[in-house]
Amino acid sequence: MGIFDTNSGATVVTMASGQDTFAETKLSDLRNLISNVPVSCLSSSAYFMHPTTWGTIQSIQENSQTISAIQNYPINTGIGADQEGMLRAHGMLWGYPVYLSDKIVSTTAVSTKFIAFGSMQKGLFLGDRNQMGMDISKEATISGVNLFQSNQSAVRLTQRVALKVALPTAFAVLKTAAS
């Protein structure tokens, strides 16, 4: 859960009373996320949410007009789309990239954190918990193949890394109201 974890220390922006579903998100809620992150973190900040939440945000209307602050990137032309497996922005909101993840909560409920805004570069530390290890075996059986009998070798690489919220104030998370 990381940034959405209760103990992460990220600033929690709670929607107004009565706004207890994702569909009740207002533009002011999304702006409040920006205003709760230090200016020093804004240049590398982005929004992070589930794809269905992004769909809900795109349908927000204010004064009977769809907001014009949203830009969408087609799946095949998004930032980093040419590099398979790379994180890719799927749109922009007020000039900030929007990144989507299936790991972020998608089921609306009261008191639920569902959108994060902030700087991964400044707020997270990536640590090497254990140096990369490499083992070579000629005597293993892999998928029913005896490596010794077939004169083959297998290579196993292992590495442990950790990701930690190091600067919680670099993030703000949006939470639905309790009622």
Side-chain angles (χ1 to χ4, degrees):
M1 292 296 293
I3 299 163
F4 293 95
D5 185 24
T6 307
N7 300 320
S8 77
T11 304
V12 177
V13 175
T14 305
M15 294 165 49
S17 181
Q19 289 178 250
D20 56 4
T21 67
F22 300 173
E24 295 170 302
T25 304
K26 297 195 180 324
L27 293 179
S28 58
D29 298 322
L30 299 169
R31 281 191 215 103
N32 285 340
L33 290 175
I34 297 171
S35 64
N36 277 283
V37 170
V39 172
S40 61
C41 295
L42 291 178
S43 64
S44 58
S45 288
Y47 285 94
F48 304 91
M49 64 188 78
H50 191 275
T52 57
T53 304
W54 179 230
T56 299
I57 298 305
Q58 291 171 322
S59 67
I60 291 177
Q61 292 192 352
E62 205 170 75
N63 301 326
S64 299
Q65 295 181 355
T66 303
I67 59 173
S68 60
I70 292 177
Q71 294 175 316
N72 289 305
Y73 297 141
I75 298 287
N76 59 351
T77 60
I79 297 171
D82 55 332
Q83 299 173 7
E84 191 65 34
M86 296 296 293
L87 187 60
R88 172 182 57 226
H90 286 272
M92 299 283 279
L93 183 55
W94 289 303
Y96 294 101
V98 176
Y99 292 101
L100 306 180
S101 172
D102 290 331
K103 302 297 180 190
I104 299 174
V105 66
S106 63
T107 306
T108 193
V110 298
S111 299
T112 301
K113 297 174 188 175
F114 67 106
I115 297 176
F117 177 82
S119 173
M120 295 280 186
Q121 292 173 335
K122 297 191 179 194
L124 298 179
F125 280 164
L126 178 64
D128 188 359
R129 295 189 69 176
N130 201 2
Q131 290 183 345
M132 185 177 286
M134 181 175 86
D135 292 315
I136 300 174
S137 176
K138 294 182 179 186
E139 300 176 8
T141 301
I142 300 174
S143 299
V145 176
N146 184 314
L147 298 179
F148 181 77
Q149 287 180 341
S150 59
N151 198 25
Q152 294 181 7
S153 299
V155 177
R156 180 178 63 189
L157 299 172
T158 57
Q159 182 179 23
R160 285 186 63 196
V161 294
L163 190 62
K164 172 120 177 98
V165 178
L167 181 62
T169 58
F171 301 100
V173 294
L174 186 60
K175 180 174 120 176
T176 55
S179 62

